[in-house]
Amino acid sequence: MWGYDKKLQYPVNIKNPNPQLAKFIISQYGGPDGELAASLRYLSQRFSMPTEITKATLNDIGTEELGHLEMIGTMVNQLTRGVSPEGLRKAGLGDYYTDHGVSIYPQNAAGNPFTASYIGVKGDPITDLYEDMAAEQKARSTYEYLIDLSDDPDVTDILKFLREREVVHFQRFGEALRSVQEKLAQKKFYMNNLHTCPNNNTPPSCGCQNVPIISDCGCQNNN
Amino acid sequence: MWGYDKKLQYPVNIKNPNPQLAKFIISQYGGPDGELAASLRYLSQRFSMPTEITKATLNDIGTEELGHLEMIGTMVNQLTRGVSPEGLRKAGLGDYYTDHGVSIYPQNAAGNPFTASYIGVKGDPITDLYEDMAAEQKARSTYEYLIDLSDDPDVTDILKFLREREVVHFQRFGEALRSVQEKLAQKKFYMNNLHTCPNNNTPPSCGCQNVPIISDCGCQNNN
Amino acid sequence: MWGYDKKLQYPVNIKNPNPQLAKFIISQYGGPDGELAASLRYLSQRFSMPTEITKATLNDIGTEELGHLEMIGTMVNQLTRGVSPEGLRKAGLGDYYTDHGVSIYPQNAAGNPFTASYIGVKGDPITDLYEDMAAEQKARSTYEYLIDLSDDPDVTDILKFLREREVVHFQRFGEALRSVQEKLAQKKFYMNNLHTCPNNNTPPSCGCQNVPIISDCGCQNNN
Amino acid sequence: MWGYDKKLQYPVNIKNPNPQLAKFIISQYGGPDGELAASLRYLSQRFSMPTEITKATLNDIGTEELGHLEMIGTMVNQLTRGVSPEGLRKAGLGDYYTDHGVSIYPQNAAGNPFTASYIGVKGDPITDLYEDMAAEQKARSTYEYLIDLSDDPDVTDILKFLREREVVHFQRFGEALRSVQEKLAQKKFYMNNLHTCPNNNTPPSCGCQNVPIISDCGCQNNN
Amino acid sequence: MWGYDKKLQYPVNIKNPNPQLAKFIISQYGGPDGELAASLRYLSQRFSMPTEITKATLNDIGTEELGHLEMIGTMVNQLTRGVSPEGLRKAGLGDYYTDHGVSIYPQNAAGNPFTASYIGVKGDPITDLYEDMAAEQKARSTYEYLIDLSDDPDVTDILKFLREREVVHFQRFGEALRSVQEKLAQKKFYMNNLHTCPNNNTPPSCGCQNVPIISDCGCQNNN
Amino acid sequence: MWGYDKKLQYPVNIKNPNPQLAKFIISQYGGPDGELAASLRYLSQRFSMPTEITKATLNDIGTEELGHLEMIGTMVNQLTRGVSPEGLRKAGLGDYYTDHGVSIYPQNAAGNPFTASYIGVKGDPITDLYEDMAAEQKARSTYEYLIDLSDDPDVTDILKFLREREVVHFQRFGEALRSVQEKLAQKKFYMNNLHTCPNNNTPPSCGCQNVPIISDCGCQNNN
């Protein structure tokens, strides 16, 4: 379970409203590569991870992304604070104002509500960790695009902080992947509670040299 | 930001696998009235609440629902632990196994990925608190339906705990609604940063006696 | 079944085209809190209502919302009548023109097609009536936001009429809720064909004082 | 606007519950080719029809489909009336019961909530009428599949009635299409308020012999 | 299977960037009536067509639409080539840049990701061919709207080519429909592997004169 | 453009119908990690790849996945060939039969229509290639789960072939990633037409040692 600590992971003090920038930044709240997608992906995947250390990595990062979600919400809130409906309309937020006033709704920049279709949870640790590394790259790219669109140093500073965190997460997922691969290599075979043997108990084909070792039932020469 | 405390809000120790029950219970993970929907709704709405106390209520309950999300994930995980693909197939989880193995994916019982279309965030505190009261009633109903479907006392016990929490949340949202209504009545009019005056600065029609006081600009006799 | 009466519930005679306003108003045609959502919600819920009077309330209001849907369609049609593609493009309707010409498509302001994910139909009368009260509050807020965005008195007048109707519906749903709660209190327990007893025929926990009486099987002291 | 007449278009008196059949039939409530899709499509398209007679055809049929929607809801309601949660689960409706109890939710047989992505509203009368003819064929096919799945003569009888109505609607849309094409041929060119001339006022290419005359600006030899 | 031929079906050489036009044109990449929808519809339907010639027609056209998809992607790519983030933002593509940079994502003009909900695959050849004729009309209308919005002759020229192809496809589907209807008339009844007899082996009602002959089991006087 | 070659990439000759297996296998037609998702992802991403060789890799694999899509469609078609509606219903395909008869519709095993929300196209070559590697791992896992569920050697043999191809694609995307990284290292900085400099022309922060070199404008010490 989680406890709330009444502070942000990194300070968000934006001096000037900028609704148009808010419209783009909200994609990191509820968009395809945003913080909600990240947090939900990792916190869901952890249940089927094979080692305590990978469970912990997913849990740590998933929890941190919740804090990023809060930072993004705070940014959007500050960037639209006190802006009149007319000001919102001129900034391209008339659509948003119609359905959500000046609140924070989990959507991407174009207005699509968040969907879990964005995330993969496959229950295979190798696969899930590749999914996570790709997710961090996609988040990094989004932050770079937002930095390109930002003309406010206050905003850019926060976006750069968040970008750096994604790069760190990418590295941590890479390490987790290697640890899982090594563990699988040691055991010469891999069987977790997620991938029990098929009915006839014979392994699927066992010829995956040079690629990440995959989950099989009794594949001896798998390294 | 949030910190993780390595325990569940309420113990989940299910002794017997029961994949069919897992299939239904997952709706409280990623379904229309589930814990993710609840948590995301409240944590998003809090940004535009007009008082510190309503912000805090939404934050508290939103954080608790994250803990419920974890409990539901743990239940699904325990109910499917060690079940063979054949066992999953027989329990109606062949579809699920195809796309998600034995992991926890945010979907409803019928297999629809979670979508933020389930939740309302309008930026009007009266409206958002009614949305929240309705959400708690919908969650309560879902837990009752799951209790009907459960034949395992271990599972039923946890479902009853969660149902009780929804009832408590419903009451707390009712109290928050009254506190906002009283505050609005005291001030005789209501204007927050979410609802600035229209361009001509004249109030919309002011004749809403006997109903919750609504956001207007300068409506004096509104109570 | 329904019969068509060739008139609008309230006259719609907008003198000046205003495509940008049309873009926002279409949210009440096919958006999350629009008239289609309202009508479909009530007309679907009525099948499982426990009393003839609540069935009738849902049927009446659901039928009236169909008439509002028609009014909104007429408004959008009048606001875009005779506008050139160039004029539509300048008003931010180039996207809309590409896929729908100058017709009326059930979408929200941001362009998301209507989805039934917006609505709750739970089959529990208390829950469904709370859902309906929340729905009316959300519709009210949307009309207020549209009034904020409107600079045409012809349009504002109609929006105010529609807002008032939502407030009336909110009150009627509140009365229906009370009537259902009283009926349940009289009977000391509640059992309808939607919520038959669980297999072991024992009631769920019975300690819900001070909250709306909930559906249980044999809970005697429930008031 | 519409008035409600408290009777069904065709009597629905199903003697025996049959939840599994209900699960399939609900697709004609909220599925891709169901009655909601039909009604919404026609009632939305009518706003941009070029003649009073085609407007009236769409309005008539759209209104009749509302009555069919009610018939389908009544069928599903009767087929699940009094069935216990256990009975629903055995019939494959455990998923449905979890999220919707024994109410009527606008979804298809597989559990996807209704979406307006199913329907086309293009604002070109020729196109929209072809869309409508295809829609009626799709509805006809669905009713045939449901007849195949039905083992209850009470149900089959109603399904056949509804199938016949779709065939009649198909014919009426064909007649409407011919009337529009003839009108366009008479005028030798076609210009309605939905399709104003491009900026340079020159017609798009004018060589569409042997196909339905299409909307152009000044194409003289178009027949 | 398919082989790639490194050329476009029709040359795409757009001299001037025009990001706003790109924003509209992308609807023919991943929008409701775009080339992906068309190709996927026809290539999926062909599996259940009753004759080799209709299978071949669907296969040919489905394959050609893949080539059109590539042309549209190339157009969008050329129209946004070398445009700065600032230029994209000014053209209304700030939303798009946030989530997709300057790549080609399968969405419609308003930013909705492609969904197969747009397409009908019913497994009844008459129905599917009507669906296809309607699809071609919808694609034709979209191209006409895009021609209206285009102010670049290079672009308009390509759009006209694509529009013509849709008209040709419409004709070919009409011919395929007639060939299937004739085949059905010859045989006096129709039974393919898609529509086997219901359990009791008796035909559904057989009174569909004057309409396209429909799939039945043993209906003799059906013509 | 593409040309059709009337043969499958690998023979599909399944001797026995098995509709339940078909229900699972269709996920590789239109599911989150299926062949349509793969093909569409690669064919869309290629437009923004920086080198001819990576464009060619994406084009080759995207084209091959089209052939796999056809193989999967053929498998589903053979597995349901000649099965009666009653047989489909018993195999859990009553839902499917209701809406799609015995045709091939792009959906996942649980019945969700394909959506492009499943795929990432970011326009950053490093990111897109990680997305592709993750996609191949997800496809591999799905094929393994299907192999677990299959009890027909004819089917398993084809699934193994397809699984092997995904492994080969994973390796090829890894090589493409390395080639792009090397190219970026050589140039000491990276700038393609997808990622032009922000307005002030100063680079984002340049401290990304030990991670894949990322797109920056003028970052010299980036390797």
Side-chain angles (χ1 to χ4, degrees):
Chain A
M1 62 184 292
W2 286 266
Y4 185 70
D5 188 4
K6 200 176 173 174
K7 63 178 181 192
L8 297 177
Q9 194 194 354
Y10 187 86
V12 174
N13 297 307
I14 302 174
K15 289 179 279 296
N16 302 309
N18 189 336
Q20 192 175 70
L21 205 44
K23 184 179 195 312
F24 303 144
I25 288 172
I26 207 165
S27 242
Q28 285 303 85
Y29 196 82
D33 309 309
E35 301 293 353
L36 173 59
S39 181
L40 185 60
R41 180 187 279 115
Y42 309 146
L43 294 179
S44 298
Q45 287 176 352
R46 76 192 153 130
F47 290 105
S48 56
M49 276 291 146
T51 65
E52 284 310 304
I53 206 161
T54 44
K55 271 185 212 284
T57 297
L58 284 163
N59 202 62
D60 282 359
I61 300 179
T63 298
E64 184 182 344
E65 307 287 31
L66 279 178
H68 295 176
L69 185 69
E70 187 182 35
M71 284 175 63
I72 297 286
T74 304
M75 291 174 80
V76 173
N77 191 237
Q78 291 185 3
L79 288 166
T80 56
R81 200 166 36 189
V83 181
S84 71
E86 175 68 10
L88 293 168
R89 188 187 61 71
K90 284 186 178 164
L93 280 162
D95 294 349
Y96 191 95
Y97 185 70
T98 300
D99 283 325
H100 305 296
V102 196
S103 61
I104 310 297
Y105 183 72
Q107 65 165 42
N108 78 339
N112 296 292
F114 175 81
T115 166
S117 295
Y118 295 145
I119 74 172
V121 184
K122 295 295 288 190
D124 174 315
I126 302 289
T127 297
D128 281 349
L129 289 165
Y130 270 107
E131 163 83 1
D132 300 342
M133 291 171 73
E136 294 295 340
Q137 290 291 334
K138 289 186 279 186
R140 174 188 61 75
S141 290
T142 310
Y143 280 120
E144 292 183 6
Y145 294 144
L146 288 173
I147 289 168
D148 291 350
L149 291 164
S150 169
D151 53 2
D152 180 341
D154 289 353
V155 170
T156 302
D157 174 68
I158 304 163
L159 295 172
K160 283 183 179 174
F161 168 80
L162 291 166
R163 186 183 62 161
E164 294 300 320
R165 294 308 301 159
E166 310 299 10
V167 171
V168 170
H169 297 166
F170 174 80
Q171 290 173 306
R172 286 194 64 194
F173 286 128
E175 288 158 15
L177 177 63
R178 275 191 294 280
S179 84
V180 171
Q181 288 173 323
E182 279 163 21
K183 191 176 165 75
L184 297 180
Q186 278 179 340
K187 295 176 72 177
K188 297 298 184 213
F189 62 89
Y190 172 56
M191 184 187 310
N192 68 358
N193 72 322
L194 313 176
H195 193 80
T196 52
C197 277
N199 302 329
N200 56 8
N201 213 42
T202 57
S205 72
C206 298
C208 315
Q209 282 83 1
N210 298 324
V211 297
I213 295 158
I214 54 178
S215 54
D216 270 328
C217 301
C219 238
Q220 297 299 327
N221 51 354
N222 211 11
N223 54 4
Chain B
M1 62 185 293
W2 286 266
Y4 185 71
D5 188 4
K6 200 175 174 175
K7 63 179 180 190
L8 297 176
Q9 194 193 354
Y10 187 86
V12 175
N13 297 306
I14 302 173
K15 287 179 279 295
N16 302 309
N18 190 336
Q20 191 175 70
L21 206 44
K23 185 179 194 312
F24 303 144
I25 288 173
I26 206 163
S27 243
Q28 285 303 86
Y29 196 82
D33 308 311
E35 301 293 351
L36 173 58
S39 181
L40 185 60
R41 181 188 277 114
Y42 309 146
L43 294 179
S44 297
Q45 287 177 350
R46 74 192 155 129
F47 290 104
S48 56
M49 277 290 146
T51 64
E52 284 309 305
I53 205 161
T54 44
K55 271 186 212 284
T57 298
L58 284 162
N59 202 61
D60 282 0
I61 300 179
T63 299
E64 184 181 346
E65 307 287 31
L66 278 178
H68 295 176
L69 184 70
E70 186 181 35
M71 283 175 63
I72 298 287
T74 304
M75 290 173 81
V76 174
N77 191 235
Q78 292 184 3
L79 288 165
T80 54
R81 200 166 35 190
V83 181
S84 71
E86 175 68 10
L88 295 168
R89 188 186 62 71
K90 283 185 178 163
L93 281 162
D95 294 350
Y96 190 94
Y97 184 70
T98 300
D99 283 325
H100 305 296
V102 196
S103 60
I104 310 298
Y105 182 73
Q107 64 164 42
N108 78 341
N112 296 292
F114 175 81
T115 164
S117 295
Y118 296 144
I119 75 172
V121 185
K122 293 296 289 190
D124 175 314
I126 302 290
T127 298
D128 281 349
L129 289 165
Y130 269 107
E131 163 82 3
D132 300 343
M133 290 170 74
E136 294 294 341
Q137 290 291 334
K138 289 186 280 186
R140 173 188 61 74
S141 291
T142 310
Y143 280 119
E144 291 183 7
Y145 294 143
L146 288 173
I147 289 168
D148 291 351
L149 291 164
S150 169
D151 52 4
D152 179 343
D154 290 351
V155 170
T156 301
D157 174 69
I158 305 164
L159 295 171
K160 282 184 179 174
F161 168 80
L162 291 167
R163 185 183 64 161
E164 295 300 321
R165 295 307 301 159
E166 309 299 9
V167 172
V168 170
H169 296 167
F170 174 80
Q171 290 172 307
R172 287 194 63 194
F173 286 129
E175 289 157 15
L177 177 63
R178 277 191 294 280
S179 83
V180 171
Q181 286 172 325
E182 279 164 21
K183 190 176 165 74
L184 297 180
Q186 279 180 341
K187 296 176 71 177
K188 299 297 185 211
F189 63 89
Y190 173 57
M191 184 187 310
N192 67 0
N193 72 322
L194 312 177
H195 193 80
T196 53
C197 276
N199 302 328
N200 58 7
N201 214 40
T202 57
S205 72
C206 299
C208 316
Q209 284 83 0
N210 298 323
V211 296
I213 295 158
I214 53 177
S215 54
D216 268 331
C217 300
C219 236
Q220 298 299 327
N221 52 353
N222 210 13
N223 54 4
Chain C
M1 63 184 293
W2 286 266
Y4 185 72
D5 188 3
K6 200 178 173 174
K7 63 177 180 193
L8 296 176
Q9 194 194 355
Y10 187 86
V12 175
N13 297 307
I14 303 173
K15 289 180 278 296
N16 302 310
N18 189 336
Q20 192 176 69
L21 206 44
K23 184 181 195 310
F24 304 144
I25 288 171
I26 206 165
S27 242
Q28 285 303 86
Y29 196 81
D33 308 310
E35 301 292 353
L36 173 58
S39 181
L40 184 61
R41 181 187 278 114
Y42 309 146
L43 295 179
S44 298
Q45 287 177 351
R46 75 193 154 130
F47 290 104
S48 56
M49 277 291 147
T51 66
E52 283 312 304
I53 205 161
T54 44
K55 271 187 213 284
T57 298
L58 284 163
N59 202 62
D60 282 1
I61 300 179
T63 299
E64 184 181 345
E65 307 288 30
L66 278 178
H68 295 176
L69 184 71
E70 187 182 35
M71 285 176 62
I72 297 286
T74 305
M75 291 174 80
V76 173
N77 191 237
Q78 291 184 4
L79 288 166
T80 55
R81 200 166 35 190
V83 181
S84 70
E86 175 68 9
L88 294 169
R89 188 186 61 72
K90 284 186 178 163
L93 280 162
D95 294 350
Y96 190 94
Y97 185 69
T98 300
D99 283 324
H100 306 295
V102 196
S103 61
I104 311 297
Y105 183 73
Q107 65 165 43
N108 78 340
N112 296 292
F114 176 80
T115 166
S117 296
Y118 296 144
I119 75 173
V121 184
K122 292 297 288 191
D124 174 316
I126 303 289
T127 297
D128 281 350
L129 288 165
Y130 270 106
E131 163 83 1
D132 300 343
M133 291 171 73
E136 294 295 341
Q137 290 291 333
K138 289 187 279 185
R140 173 188 61 74
S141 291
T142 311
Y143 280 120
E144 291 183 7
Y145 295 143
L146 289 172
I147 289 167
D148 291 350
L149 291 165
S150 169
D151 52 3
D152 180 341
D154 289 353
V155 171
T156 301
D157 174 68
I158 306 163
L159 294 173
K160 283 184 179 173
F161 168 80
L162 290 167
R163 186 184 61 161
E164 295 299 322
R165 295 307 301 159
E166 309 300 9
V167 172
V168 171
H169 296 166
F170 174 80
Q171 291 173 306
R172 286 193 63 195
F173 286 128
E175 289 156 15
L177 177 63
R178 276 189 294 280
S179 84
V180 171
Q181 287 173 323
E182 281 163 20
K183 190 176 165 74
L184 298 180
Q186 280 178 340
K187 297 176 70 178
K188 298 296 184 214
F189 63 90
Y190 172 57
M191 185 187 310
N192 70 358
N193 73 321
L194 312 176
H195 193 81
T196 53
C197 276
N199 302 329
N200 57 6
N201 214 40
T202 57
S205 71
C206 298
C208 317
Q209 283 82 2
N210 298 323
V211 298
I213 295 158
I214 54 177
S215 54
D216 270 328
C217 300
C219 237
Q220 297 301 326
N221 51 352
N222 211 11
N223 54 3
Chain D
M1 62 184 292
W2 286 267
Y4 185 72
D5 188 3
K6 200 177 173 175
K7 63 178 180 192
L8 296 177
Q9 195 194 354
Y10 187 87
V12 174
N13 298 306
I14 302 173
K15 288 179 280 293
N16 301 309
N18 190 335
Q20 191 175 72
L21 206 43
K23 184 179 195 312
F24 304 143
I25 288 171
I26 206 165
S27 242
Q28 285 303 86
Y29 196 82
D33 308 310
E35 301 293 353
L36 173 58
S39 181
L40 184 60
R41 180 188 278 113
Y42 308 146
L43 294 178
S44 298
Q45 286 177 351
R46 76 194 154 129
F47 291 104
S48 55
M49 276 292 145
T51 66
E52 284 310 305
I53 206 160
T54 44
K55 272 186 213 284
T57 298
L58 284 163
N59 202 62
D60 282 0
I61 300 178
T63 299
E64 184 181 346
E65 308 287 30
L66 278 178
H68 294 175
L69 184 69
E70 186 182 35
M71 285 175 62
I72 298 285
T74 305
M75 291 173 81
V76 173
N77 191 236
Q78 291 184 4
L79 288 165
T80 55
R81 201 166 34 190
V83 181
S84 70
E86 175 69 10
L88 294 168
R89 187 185 63 70
K90 283 186 179 164
L93 279 162
D95 294 349
Y96 190 94
Y97 184 70
T98 299
D99 283 325
H100 306 296
V102 196
S103 60
I104 311 297
Y105 183 73
Q107 66 165 42
N108 79 340
N112 297 291
F114 176 79
T115 166
S117 295
Y118 296 145
I119 75 173
V121 184
K122 294 297 287 190
D124 175 315
I126 303 289
T127 298
D128 281 349
L129 288 165
Y130 270 106
E131 163 82 1
D132 300 343
M133 290 170 73
E136 295 294 341
Q137 290 291 332
K138 289 186 280 186
R140 173 188 61 74
S141 290
T142 310
Y143 280 120
E144 292 182 6
Y145 294 143
L146 289 172
I147 289 167
D148 291 350
L149 291 164
S150 169
D151 51 3
D152 179 342
D154 290 352
V155 171
T156 301
D157 174 69
I158 305 163
L159 295 172
K160 283 184 180 173
F161 168 80
L162 291 166
R163 185 182 64 160
E164 294 300 321
R165 295 306 302 159
E166 309 300 9
V167 171
V168 170
H169 296 166
F170 174 80
Q171 290 173 308
R172 287 195 63 194
F173 286 128
E175 289 157 15
L177 177 63
R178 276 190 294 280
S179 84
V180 171
Q181 286 173 325
E182 278 164 21
K183 191 176 165 72
L184 297 181
Q186 281 179 340
K187 297 176 71 177
K188 297 297 183 213
F189 63 91
Y190 173 57
M191 184 187 310
N192 69 359
N193 73 321
L194 313 175
H195 194 80
T196 52
C197 277
N199 301 329
N200 57 7
N201 214 41
T202 57
S205 71
C206 299
C208 317
Q209 284 82 2
N210 298 325
V211 297
I213 295 159
I214 53 177
S215 53
D216 269 329
C217 299
C219 237
Q220 297 300 327
N221 51 353
N222 211 12
N223 54 4
Chain E
M1 61 184 293
W2 286 265
Y4 185 70
D5 188 3
K6 200 175 173 176
K7 64 178 181 192
L8 297 175
Q9 194 194 354
Y10 187 84
V12 175
N13 297 307
I14 303 173
K15 288 179 280 294
N16 302 309
N18 190 335
Q20 191 174 71
L21 206 43
K23 183 178 196 314
F24 304 143
I25 288 172
I26 206 165
S27 243
Q28 285 304 85
Y29 196 81
D33 308 310
E35 302 293 351
L36 173 59
S39 181
L40 185 60
R41 181 187 278 114
Y42 308 145
L43 294 179
S44 298
Q45 287 176 351
R46 75 193 154 129
F47 290 104
S48 55
M49 278 290 147
T51 65
E52 284 310 304
I53 206 160
T54 45
K55 272 187 213 283
T57 298
L58 283 163
N59 202 61
D60 281 1
I61 301 179
T63 299
E64 184 182 345
E65 307 287 31
L66 278 179
H68 294 177
L69 184 70
E70 186 181 36
M71 284 176 61
I72 297 286
T74 305
M75 291 174 81
V76 173
N77 191 237
Q78 291 184 4
L79 288 165
T80 53
R81 201 167 34 190
V83 182
S84 71
E86 175 67 11
L88 294 169
R89 188 187 61 72
K90 284 185 179 163
L93 280 163
D95 294 350
Y96 190 94
Y97 184 69
T98 300
D99 283 326
H100 305 296
V102 196
S103 61
I104 311 298
Y105 183 73
Q107 65 165 44
N108 79 340
N112 296 293
F114 175 81
T115 165
S117 295
Y118 296 145
I119 74 173
V121 184
K122 293 297 287 190
D124 174 315
I126 302 289
T127 298
D128 281 348
L129 288 165
Y130 269 107
E131 162 83 1
D132 300 342
M133 291 172 73
E136 295 294 341
Q137 290 291 333
K138 290 186 279 185
R140 173 189 61 74
S141 291
T142 310
Y143 280 119
E144 291 182 8
Y145 294 144
L146 288 173
I147 289 166
D148 291 351
L149 291 165
S150 168
D151 52 4
D152 179 342
D154 289 352
V155 170
T156 301
D157 175 69
I158 305 164
L159 294 171
K160 283 184 179 173
F161 168 80
L162 291 166
R163 186 183 61 161
E164 294 300 320
R165 295 307 301 159
E166 310 298 10
V167 172
V168 170
H169 297 166
F170 175 80
Q171 291 173 305
R172 288 194 62 195
F173 285 129
E175 289 158 14
L177 177 63
R178 275 190 295 279
S179 84
V180 170
Q181 287 173 324
E182 279 164 22
K183 190 176 166 74
L184 298 180
Q186 279 180 339
K187 296 175 71 176
K188 298 297 185 212
F189 64 89
Y190 172 56
M191 184 187 310
N192 68 359
N193 72 322
L194 313 176
H195 194 81
T196 52
C197 277
N199 303 328
N200 56 7
N201 214 40
T202 59
S205 73
C206 299
C208 316
Q209 283 84 1
N210 298 325
V211 296
I213 296 158
I214 54 179
S215 53
D216 269 329
C217 300
C219 237
Q220 297 300 328
N221 52 354
N222 210 12
N223 53 5
Chain F
M1 61 184 293
W2 286 266
Y4 185 71
D5 188 4
K6 201 176 172 173
K7 64 178 179 192
L8 297 176
Q9 194 194 354
Y10 187 85
V12 175
N13 297 306
I14 303 173
K15 287 179 279 295
N16 302 310
N18 189 336
Q20 191 175 71
L21 206 44
K23 185 179 194 311
F24 304 143
I25 288 172
I26 205 166
S27 242
Q28 285 304 85
Y29 196 81
D33 308 309
E35 301 293 352
L36 174 58
S39 181
L40 185 59
R41 179 187 280 114
Y42 308 145
L43 294 179
S44 297
Q45 287 177 351
R46 75 192 155 131
F47 290 105
S48 55
M49 277 290 146
T51 65
E52 284 311 303
I53 206 162
T54 44
K55 270 187 215 283
T57 298
L58 283 162
N59 202 62
D60 281 1
I61 300 179
T63 299
E64 184 181 345
E65 307 287 32
L66 279 178
H68 295 176
L69 184 70
E70 187 182 35
M71 284 175 62
I72 298 285
T74 304
M75 290 173 81
V76 173
N77 191 237
Q78 292 184 4
L79 288 165
T80 55
R81 200 166 34 190
V83 181
S84 71
E86 175 68 10
L88 294 168
R89 188 186 63 69
K90 284 185 178 163
L93 280 162
D95 295 349
Y96 190 94
Y97 185 70
T98 299
D99 284 324
H100 305 296
V102 196
S103 61
I104 310 297
Y105 183 72
Q107 64 165 42
N108 78 341
N112 297 291
F114 176 80
T115 166
S117 295
Y118 296 144
I119 75 173
V121 185
K122 294 295 289 190
D124 175 315
I126 302 289
T127 298
D128 281 350
L129 288 165
Y130 269 107
E131 162 84 1
D132 300 343
M133 290 171 73
E136 295 294 340
Q137 290 291 334
K138 289 186 280 186
R140 174 189 60 76
S141 290
T142 311
Y143 280 120
E144 292 182 7
Y145 294 144
L146 289 172
I147 289 167
D148 290 351
L149 291 164
S150 169
D151 53 2
D152 179 342
D154 288 353
V155 170
T156 301
D157 174 68
I158 305 163
L159 295 172
K160 283 184 179 174
F161 168 80
L162 290 166
R163 185 182 64 161
E164 294 300 321
R165 295 308 301 159
E166 309 300 9
V167 172
V168 169
H169 296 167
F170 174 80
Q171 291 173 306
R172 286 194 63 194
F173 285 129
E175 288 158 15
L177 177 62
R178 276 191 294 280
S179 84
V180 171
Q181 287 174 323
E182 279 164 20
K183 191 177 166 72
L184 297 180
Q186 279 179 340
K187 296 176 70 177
K188 299 298 184 211
F189 63 89
Y190 172 56
M191 185 188 310
N192 69 357
N193 73 322
L194 312 176
H195 193 81
T196 53
C197 277
N199 302 328
N200 56 7
N201 215 41
T202 57
S205 73
C206 298
C208 315
Q209 284 82 2
N210 299 325
V211 296
I213 296 159
I214 54 178
S215 54
D216 270 329
C217 300
C219 237
Q220 298 300 327
N221 51 353
N222 212 12
N223 55 3

